Structures are given as C-alpha cells and as structure tokens.
Amino acid sequence: MKKKVLVLFLLILLIPFNVHAETIAQKRKDIANLKAKYQAQQNAKKNAQNNISSDKQSIKNKESEINSNQQKLTDAENESAELTKEIADGKKEISNIMEAYQVAQGDNVYLEYVFEATSYEDLVYRYAVMEQVMSYMKDKINGYEDKIKKNDELIVYIKDRKVELDNQINSLNDEIDGLYDDIKSYDKYANDIASDIRDAEGFLQYMVNMGCKETEELNACQARVNSTNNYGWIKPLVKGKVTSYFANRISPITGKPEFHSGTDIGGNPEGTPVYAIASGTVCKIVRKSSCGGNQVYVCSYVNGKKYTTCYMHLLAINVSLYQTVYTSTAVGTVGGGKGTSGWETCSTGAHLHLGLGTGWYGSDYTTYTQWKAHLIDARTTIGMPARGVWWYSR
Ligand SMILES: [Zn+2]
C-alpha cells in the first residue's frame, strides 16, 4: 500500500510542469479558460443572489406568521379573561341559589319562587326548575373552563412557536450575511479575472499586430519580426528643444531637490501633435492624474529589446489601450499649460515629459514604483540634442 503511494508521488514529480509557451494559440486558450472562470463566478454570484431572495421571502413568511399568531394570542387572552369573569359571576349565582335553600329570607327571589307554589305538585315542579337552572349553569361553567384550558394550550404553543420562528429568522439572517460575503468575494475574484482577461487580450492583440503566427513562440516571433522590420527610435516632436534632463534637479514646483524621471521638451504650444518614438502597442493609459495629467504608455520592441515609452502632461489622448501605434501615430497633443491646469498641478507650462523605461509596463511589471526602477535616459538613448539646442525635423 505504502509503495503504491510512493510510486504515485514519484510519477507526479516526473510529470513535467506545463510551461506556458507564449503563442497566439495559447493566449486564445488562456482567454477561453479565463472567460469560463469568469462565467462560473457570475453563476455562483447569481445563485447566491437567488438564495438571498428566497431566504428573505422565508423571513417575510415567518414574520407574518408571528404577526398573525400575535393576534391569535391577544384574542385568546381576552377571551380567557372574559370567560374567567363569567365563571366567577356564574359561581356567585350558584352559591346564591344554594344559600337560598338554606336560609329563609323574604327578599330572596329563588326562595319566593319555590314557596309561592300553590300545590305540592307545583312545589315539586318549581324545585325541579331550580335544579335545572343550577345544572345548566354548572354545565356552562365547565364549558368555559374547557375553553380556557384550550386557550392556555394555544398561548403556550404560540409562545414556543415564536421562539422557534425567531431562531429560524436569526439563522436565515446569518445565512444572508454569509451570502453577501460570498458575493463580495465572487465579485473580487471576477474583477481579478476580468483584469487578467484584458491583459491577455491586449497581449494577444500585440502578438497579432506584430504578425506572429498562431503557434509561433513569442521570442521567436519577436526575433523574426525584428529582423524584417526596421524598428528604431525617432523624436516625438517635429521641432523642439530639451528643457530639463533626466537627472537630479531643483523642482520648479517645490523648489526642493528631486530626481527628474524623464526628459522635458519645450518650444511647442499646447495642442501640438506628439508622436510615438517607436512602433509598438499602447500598454497603459492614465487620464487626468493630478501629477502627470493625461499619460500614454507604449510598449515597443527596439533593436531586440523591450522598452516602454511614456508621454505625460498631454492635453488630449488620441489613442486607445492596446492600439498599435507607429512612429507616424500622434498619441496625443502637448499640454502642461493653461489647457491642463484644471487637473494638473505638476507642470509649470506647455511641454512634453518623455519617459523611457526598459521592459514592458503592464506585463513585465505592473506598478508605478517598478516602472520608475526601469527608467533610463530618453535623450541619450534616442539621440536628442543637448539642453537648449533646437531641432526642426524628427
Ligand atoms: Zn518632466
């Protein structure tokens, strides 16, 4: 038995891990799997919502049973109180009649009735009538007592039933709370999956745009495409001049030392087209950030290496996420001045802040901190003149 387990364990170890080859075909499979997972989350959420509805209906039914029982309880208590009073009256009446037999008093109505008999037969008859009255009253009292006993039983039942229903309502409410928690986690997981789907679809689009074949591995595709296409750097503006280096400087906003994470290019009014400095895919877009404003990130493959370029403070964004861009594509227009002052606080006038990082933002790394750690000097990399020196063609 132990040997079998060991063999199975070794077999599992020997099965090679399913290494994800990055191919269009694999991406399509990944996307289909992700969509199925997403649908499963949506279905689970729907089930939870249905269960919540039916639990709520069940609570409503129990509450209405409690309410109608409450009415029955009040009725039974009132009826018992009335019957108790009538029993007391009836008993008093009987004791009056009993006393009348024993005490001869002129003002006693029962006694008068009996002694006003005109003959012996009449006396016997009147006596029998009296007995019948008493017997009738005793029966009535017995009936009332039975009814009170039944009411008492009903009252106990209703009180017990209320405890039972309250407990059931409490556990239904607990169940509903749990279902709401479940829905939250289904939503969170579905959101994560949706974001994975967007990433995978963007990546798929990138590979399609590059002209990769269905089962061609990404690296091979990139090498092939790179060898046949003359991808290279080009300036982002037709004319302009560098106004601030990718270097330590005194911040024009705070007056304190800072590291300037890109190359600033001035000499153009707001609205001037900003072009991609290399072909690639739009891999991230940020809109109206208070520091950086409208931003477009392009993931490119240049001279055999991955890069991400970033265009900040844009007045307008002219591209959409995962769109393929070429060096002829205007990704947006120059901003940073009056036109963007409604949301921007980190720019002192119209200019383009050009950022350049290695790797792809959005797939090789995903956070702004990681992006900053990948930054390199755009001016020296793509070959722009020194600060203050104008150029008039890209
Ligand atoms: Zn800047």
Side-chain angles (χ1 to χ4, degrees):
M1 194 62 193
K2 269 188 177 172
K3 263 186 187 169
K4 270 187 188 167
V5 173
L6 188 68
V7 168
L8 190 67
F9 181 67
L10 284 174
L11 268 178
I12 289 169
L13 279 184
L14 286 172
I15 293 167
F17 286 106
N18 183 18
V19 179
H20 258 197
E22 292 206 296
T23 63
I24 290 177
Q26 186 57 49
K27 280 284 156 203
R28 289 193 207 284
K29 250 188 228 168
D30 290 349
I31 291 167
N33 285 340
L34 286 168
K35 284 187 172 169
K37 272 189 199 170
Y38 184 85
Q39 196 48 51
Q41 294 303 305
Q42 298 299 98
N43 292 346
K45 180 183 173 179
K46 203 161 193 194
N47 277 344
Q49 281 169 333
N50 287 343
N51 286 342
I52 287 173
S53 304
S54 84
D55 282 356
K56 281 185 174 172
Q57 188 52 49
S58 182
I59 288 174
K60 244 187 199 171
N61 293 345
K62 288 175 198 297
E63 280 170 345
S64 85
E65 187 184 336
I66 288 175
N67 283 341
S68 86
N69 280 351
Q70 191 56 43
Q71 189 52 50
K72 283 181 199 158
L73 181 73
T74 311
D75 291 348
E77 281 170 344
N78 287 344
E79 190 183 38
S80 288
E82 254 169 56
L83 292 174
T84 305
K85 197 173 162 287
E86 285 191 34
I87 288 170
D89 290 348
K91 279 184 174 166
K92 206 175 165 216
E93 196 73 357
I94 288 170
S95 89
N96 283 345
I97 296 171
M98 300 282 280
E99 260 175 52
Y101 280 119
Q102 289 153 10
V103 184
Q105 276 184 331
D107 59 352
N108 192 296
V109 65
Y110 302 106
L111 208 63
E112 275 172 18
Y113 173 69
V114 174
F115 288 116
E116 271 168 13
T118 51
S119 64
Y120 177 71
E121 283 82 5
D122 190 28
L123 180 72
V124 169
Y125 168 75
R126 287 182 182 228
Y127 189 77
V129 167
M130 287 294 299
E131 272 197 334
Q132 270 178 21
V133 168
M134 285 205 13
S135 157
Y136 166 75
M137 289 181 81
K138 275 179 186 162
D139 285 351
K140 210 165 150 187
I141 286 170
N142 284 342
Y144 289 169
E145 278 170 348
D146 279 355
K147 183 72 188 142
I148 287 174
K149 205 178 148 210
K150 275 184 189 144
N151 277 346
D152 284 347
E153 280 164 11
L154 182 65
I155 288 165
V156 168
Y157 165 77
I158 287 172
K159 284 180 176 169
D160 287 351
R161 179 74 180 140
K162 180 165 173 6
V163 171
E164 197 182 327
L165 288 168
D166 280 343
N167 284 339
Q168 286 171 2
I169 287 172
N170 282 343
S171 49
L172 283 169
N173 276 324
D174 286 349
E175 192 177 303
I176 288 173
D177 286 347
L179 287 166
Y180 276 124
D181 284 347
D182 288 351
I183 286 176
K184 260 187 217 159
S185 56
Y186 294 143
D187 278 344
K188 197 189 168 300
Y189 193 41
N191 277 344
D192 291 348
I193 297 170
S195 132
D196 288 349
I197 290 173
R198 280 195 298 276
D199 288 350
E201 281 177 339
F203 204 83
L204 173 72
Q205 194 55 51
Y206 177 79
M207 294 184 79
V208 168
N209 290 343
M210 268 210 305
C212 299
K213 292 166 192 158
E214 195 69 13
T215 55
E216 189 177 26
E217 216 273 320
L218 177 65
N219 286 337
C221 167
Q222 280 171 332
R224 181 175 62 77
V225 170
N226 210 41
S227 67
T228 52
N229 287 295
N230 186 22
Y231 286 99
W233 300 114
I234 188 165
K235 294 186 197 74
L237 289 150
V238 174
K239 73 175 179 68
K241 58 179 177 176
V242 170
T243 55
S244 186
Y245 283 152
F246 173 78
N248 287 313
R249 69 171 185 182
I250 300 298
S251 164
I253 306 285
T254 63
K256 288 178 184 161
E258 65 164 11
F259 185 77
H260 182 229
S261 62
T263 303
D264 286 349
I265 303 164
N268 292 284
E270 285 189 310
T272 307
V274 172
Y275 298 96
I277 64 171
S279 303
T281 301
V282 176
C283 47
K284 186 177 174 65
I285 285 179
V286 176
R287 290 180 198 278
K288 296 191 176 178
S289 158
S290 64
C291 197
N294 288 325
Q295 303 160 38
V296 171
Y297 293 76
V298 175
C299 290
S300 300
Y301 200 82
V302 181
N303 303 323
K305 284 181 184 157
K306 288 176 176 181
Y307 293 95
T308 301
T309 56
C310 158
Y311 310 84
M312 283 196 178
H313 309 302
L314 299 175
L315 179 66
I317 292 175
N318 294 344
V319 288
S320 50
L321 194 59
Y322 302 130
Q323 182 184 327
T324 303
V325 297
Y326 305 95
T327 53
S328 57
T329 308
V331 296
T333 55
V334 171
K338 271 197 178 144
T340 57
S341 61
W343 57 86
E344 263 269 29
T345 57
C346 287
S347 178
T348 51
H351 76 283
L352 171 69
H353 174 106
L354 177 68
L356 175 61
T358 55
W360 284 346
Y361 195 172
S363 53
D364 290 332
Y365 44 85
T366 52
T367 69
Y368 188 73
T369 311
Q370 287 168 323
W371 152 251
K372 285 197 106 172
H374 284 82
L375 288 172
I376 57 172
D377 187 354
R379 188 186 71 85
T380 52
T381 308
I382 76 169
M384 285 187 283
R387 184 158 50 199
V389 178
W390 282 89
W391 71 81
Y392 294 97
S393 72
R394 291 178 71 203

